[in-house]
Structures are given as C-alpha cells and as structure tokens.
Amino acid sequence: MFEPVVYRARRSQLIKSIGSGIVFLPGHVESPMNYIENTYPFRQDSTFLYYAGISNSGFSLVIDVDQNHTTLFGKKLTIEDIIWTGSQSDLDELGELSGVDHICESVQLSDVLLKAREQKRDVHYLPPYRAETSRQLEGLLGLETGQSLHEHSEVLASAVIASRSVKEPRELAEIEVALDVTREMYRVAMHAVEEGKFEREIAGLVEGIAISGGGRLAYPCILTREGQVLHNHDYHRQLRQGDLIVQDSGAATIRGYASDITRTYPVSGAFSSRQREIYQAVLDSLTDATASIRPERPFRDCHLIAARTLTDRLQQIGLMRGNVDESVASGAHALFFPHGLGHTMGLDVHDMENLGEDLLGYDDQIERSEQFGLKSLRFGKAPAPGFVLTVEPGCYFIDPLIDQWRSKKRYEEFINYEYLEGWRGFGGVRIEENVVVTSEGCRVLGPPIPKTITNVETACNV
C-alpha cells in the first residue's frame, strides 16, 4: 500500500466530482476454481484498490459524499482464519492504513445502504463485471436479477476515469518496476527458445519470473508460434526451425500495477529474409506511431499513422498496391492489421475498460468507427499528459480472413492476392511498447527490451 494520505486525497477528489449521495465500492471476494475452498489466485478490483489500497478479499468502501467521510466494511479475523491463512492485518489496522474515517463489520453494510435508499439518496456504483458482485449489489440495493448491469452510475464511472487516467509519479514508478521484471522475462525467454522445445517450457519460465519478481503476470501470457491468432493462450506446440514466436506478456507489481510488452523473435536465432521484411515493416510502424503521440492529437490519428506506414512497407514488399492514403481510408490494411494500435494501462492491463470502453476511449469529438479493424481501437480520443498507453502495431497472415476477403474480391485494387498466396502459413509479428504521454509528446517507459532485428537476434544467441 501507499501512505494513507494518498488514498484520502483520491477519495477527496472523488467526493468533489460526485457532488452528493453515497458511493459504494465493493471489493472482490474469493472465486472458486472447482470447489468452494480451492480458489483462483486472488486479484482485487482495481478501483477499490485505487481508493482503498487493500488487496485482501471481502472488503467494501462506502463514501458518504454529503458528510465527507468514508467507512471501510470488512470481517474481523477469527482464530480459524489465522489457522488456515496465518496472521495478517485485521480490519482495524487496514482501516488505519487506508486512511478511512470509520470501520464497521460487513454485517452492518446492508443497514447503511438500506437507510440511504429509504432517505432517497443516490447510491452510486460502477458497472459490475463479476457475477458475485452483481448478486451482492442486487441483494443490498433491492434490485431485480440482472438490474445491476444497467443501473450503474455513469457519473461515478466518469469521475473514476478522470481520476485514474492521469497517473501520479508513484504510479509511473510502479509501472517501471513491473517493466524491470518484464525485461527479465524477455531476456530469459529469448535465450531459452530453440527448436524442439515446447511453447509451455518457455511460458513456464516467463510466469515463474513474474512471480519471483514479487507480483504475478498482469494477464495470461501469450507465447506461441501461431502468432496470427491474436489472443492465443495455448502452449502445446513444439517449436520448429523457421518459426517465429510472438510473446505478449507483462508482469504486475505487488501493488497491482501492470506492464504489457510484445516481442517477436525467431526460433532459429536469425530472421529469414521474409521475416526480416515483415518485422521491419511493423517496427517502422511502431516507431512512426510512437513519434506521433502528443496530447492534442487523437490516438485514432496515431493508429492511422501506424496503418499508413505498414501499408507503405507492404507495398514495397509487393503484398499491397495502389494509393496509400486511399488504401488506408478504405480499411484494406486491416487484412494484415485487424486490431487497434493500443489501449490504456495502469492498475489493469486494459485500464478501466470495465467502466465502459466508449466512455473511457471516446468523446464528443472522436466517435468509434464501424470499419473493420478500426472499430477494434479501444482508445481513440486525444490523451492528456499522464495517460499511459500501449503502442502495439502488428502484421498477421490469417488464412480464413484471406480466404473470405479474396472470395468476395474485397479491396482487389489495394491487395495483391496472387502474391499473397505464397505467404500463407507465415504467422504474425507484433511489437509493443508502453508509453506515458507528456506535455510535448510521449516517453517510452521501462528499460530497453531488444527490439531491433540486430538486438533481437543477439538476445536469442547469447
């Protein structure tokens, strides 16, 4: 946890933004894997973590906006708790560490919320994304089943987004710690990869390093020779000479702050000529997109800059043709680049998307596109200084998508389908960095992780 004053200041800012009513922020409870006492590794709700700092299960915050005070609700430790989990901070101590005004046992929570409802006070809560939270909200607030999914407070969601989007220096320092561990994950993986090993062997090393760094993986690791599958979490394949590995993984710190890095590297230790061409195209796209980021520029424009650079390089290779600007405007490049350039990052690897992706990433000036590829851009508006974003262009050869587009003769004026036939089975390339937006542009966070062709090949052969 940070110092108590940090959480008090964050709650004070939230109170000013809400105006009146009650803010109810439930923390997470344990979630069973296959029977009630065998639970998944616990991860606290990030908004609760942001305003309370408590990573233990079974706690809730009630912030009385009108009275300007906060109450922490939780369960006092019993001797049985201590037998099974050992001594840990109790309710009183956690209340002091989070800087709250009052502490109460959870059994009193329903009375507090019932009284607020009887007084016709607004009870603000965020959109739930776990079934147990929905049930808790519906039980405490007297809602019908499923009603909690639709009656959350957009006022609260907007206030939380405004507060959490601009990262404090202490938060940036946490992200840098996560990236230090992530660098080691990539160093070990690039060194260990070789023909005949299985993906799971490398993925196991990566996850072990994340845990040894004091936290865990920020999200399930992607480590695959089938890089054209964007979210491939299988690790059963044996590595072959000539394969490319797409590794998308990041560590999280003990305080919950995430990192999110992707690298692509060759099993053989050296890129083939074709692999070099595609890799350099993606790297150029990353470089140009990163250089374009600044506070007044919509991130959607940075996405289109990445798409333009990629289209230009694919034309040089012979996979695309025609006018570059017209090609990008049409969306033809999305055959190779079907996802968005990046997303927000912080306590969540996709920071605050649970609060509403369009509410977080779009505004009155920038509306979400319906065009294939561009519609998958999660964050499109202009960021402010202090925003942390991922920048992750890619180039993929997805056979079913190629078949579909070619059968419909889509964008034949821009895509060289005849030449593309010889590239089937190539896989994919993605390269990703994490940046913080500054007053003049952006800064790449974390230590250097091999990224140029020369540096990647060297890392694979050390």
Side-chain angles (χ1 to χ4, degrees):
M1 296 176 70
F2 296 122
E3 299 80 9
V5 66
V6 173
Y7 304 108
R8 284 196 293 266
R10 290 174 177 177
R11 294 192 296 266
S12 177
Q13 182 184 18
L14 184 65
I15 286 170
K16 292 175 184 176
S17 300
I18 298 300
S20 64
I22 295 284
V23 173
F24 177 42
L25 298 177
H28 280 166
V29 295
E30 299 282 5
S31 183
M33 288 188 192
N34 45 18
Y35 68 95
I36 196 164
E37 291 179 345
N38 186 32
T39 59
Y40 288 100
F42 182 75
R43 173 56 161 85
Q44 184 60 276
D45 173 75
S46 292
T47 300
F48 181 85
L49 197 58
Y50 183 80
Y51 288 107
I54 297 170
S55 58
N56 305 50
S57 67
F59 289 84
S60 297
L61 278 185
V62 171
I63 303 172
D64 190 316
V65 176
D66 304 298
Q67 299 297 321
N68 191 23
H69 68 69
T70 301
T71 303
L72 175 69
F73 290 85
K75 174 178 172 288
K76 288 187 177 291
L77 287 175
T78 66
I79 189 63
E80 237 180 74
D81 294 326
I82 295 170
I83 289 170
W84 287 102
T85 62
S87 296
Q88 52 189 294
S89 298
D90 63 14
L91 178 58
D92 292 336
E93 185 179 355
L94 289 172
E96 185 176 337
L97 291 172
S98 61
V100 300
D101 303 293
H102 308 288
I103 58 169
C104 288
E105 293 205 49
S106 294
V107 293
Q108 300 173 265
L109 179 58
S110 59
D111 292 337
V112 171
L113 294 178
L114 177 62
K115 182 178 179 181
R117 287 166 49 212
E118 289 174 345
Q119 294 172 340
K120 307 297 184 185
R121 301 179 70 190
D122 290 328
V123 179
H124 301 273
Y125 65 88
L126 297 171
Y129 53 92
R130 296 180 69 173
E132 50 265 52
T133 306
S134 294
R135 289 195 298 270
Q136 180 189 24
L137 287 166
E138 289 157 5
L140 289 170
L141 300 178
L143 304 175
E144 298 293 328
T145 300
Q147 196 175 356
S148 63
L149 300 173
H150 310 291
E151 296 196 0
H152 59 273
S153 170
E154 193 163 301
V155 171
L156 176 58
S158 297
V160 171
I161 288 170
S163 181
R164 285 180 55 189
S165 290
V166 177
K167 301 298 184 281
E168 305 161 6
R170 61 176 60 86
E171 293 182 283
L172 294 176
E174 281 289 308
I175 294 171
E176 300 265 16
V177 169
L179 285 163
D180 283 339
V181 178
T182 301
R183 175 181 59 177
E184 181 66 7
M185 288 159 51
Y186 278 93
R187 185 193 68 79
V188 170
M190 288 183 182
H191 175 73
V193 69
E194 62 182 29
E195 182 183 9
K197 285 189 176 180
F198 286 85
E199 295 164 332
R200 60 178 176 262
E201 297 178 66
I202 315 300
L205 292 173
V206 167
E207 184 164 5
I209 291 166
I211 293 171
S212 69
R216 290 186 177 273
L217 288 174
Y219 53 95
C221 174
I222 296 169
L223 196 150
T224 179
R225 74 180 196 201
E226 300 286 340
Q228 78 282 2
V229 181
L230 300 184
H231 283 175
N232 194 337
H233 293 125
D234 294 327
Y235 310 125
H236 65 271
R237 302 168 195 85
Q238 192 170 26
L239 305 182
R240 306 165 303 191
Q241 192 80 0
D243 283 341
L244 282 178
I245 298 297
V246 172
Q247 179 182 338
D248 186 336
S249 59
T253 69
I254 196 167
R255 290 189 174 104
Y257 285 86
S259 58
D260 184 2
I261 295 293
T262 306
R263 292 292 186 266
T264 304
Y265 48 93
V267 169
S268 66
F271 293 100
S272 70
S273 58
R274 278 194 167 184
Q275 290 169 349
R276 292 172 73 93
E277 288 182 306
I278 299 299
Y279 188 94
Q280 192 61 52
V282 175
L283 183 58
D284 291 347
S285 182
L286 171 69
T287 301
D288 289 351
T290 303
S292 74
I293 296 172
R294 55 181 60 95
E296 71 274 14
R297 173 171 283 157
F299 196 61
R300 183 186 64 186
D301 292 356
C302 304
H303 171 95
L304 294 173
I305 287 168
R308 193 188 191 286
T309 298
L310 183 65
T311 298
D312 176 75
R313 303 304 188 270
L314 292 180
Q315 284 192 4
Q316 294 177 29
I317 294 169
L319 290 163
M320 298 190 73
R321 58 194 172 201
N323 182 278
V324 171
D325 292 328
E326 291 176 5
S327 180
V328 171
S330 75
H333 63 278
L335 176 65
F336 303 97
F337 180 22
H339 60 76
L341 178 64
H343 50 80
T344 55
M345 192 187 80
L347 276 169
D348 294 309
V349 71
H350 282 237
D351 208 28
M352 296 175 289
E353 286 183 7
N354 63 298
L355 304 180
E357 209 172 287
D358 286 349
L359 187 65
L360 168 68
Y362 291 87
D363 55 23
D364 294 339
Q365 285 72 48
I366 302 294
E367 294 184 357
R368 199 178 195 121
S369 172
E370 295 184 358
Q371 185 185 80
F372 178 78
L374 186 55
K375 71 180 180 181
S376 296
L377 178 63
R378 300 170 183 271
F379 185 89
K381 68 185 182 184
F387 279 46
V388 172
L389 301 167
T390 68
V391 188
E392 48 182 308
C395 183
Y396 315 90
F397 295 78
I398 306 169
D399 287 349
L401 185 61
I402 295 169
D403 291 337
Q404 182 193 76
W405 280 30
R406 188 170 191 183
S407 69
K408 296 180 179 180
K409 299 182 178 180
R410 294 193 69 183
Y411 307 121
E412 284 187 319
E413 67 273 35
F414 300 123
I415 299 170
N416 186 350
Y417 285 110
E418 297 300 326
Y419 187 52
L420 180 56
E421 281 298 310
W423 289 74
R424 287 181 179 273
F426 179 92
V429 172
R430 183 166 65 254
I431 314 171
E432 176 183 18
E433 295 282 29
N434 305 154
V435 306
V436 58
V437 179
T438 65
S439 59
E440 297 179 350
C442 73
R443 174 174 67 87
V444 176
L445 293 166
I449 297 172
K451 183 170 58 180
T452 66
I453 289 174
T454 298
N455 288 345
V456 169
E457 290 181 340
T458 299
C460 290
N461 289 285
V462 171

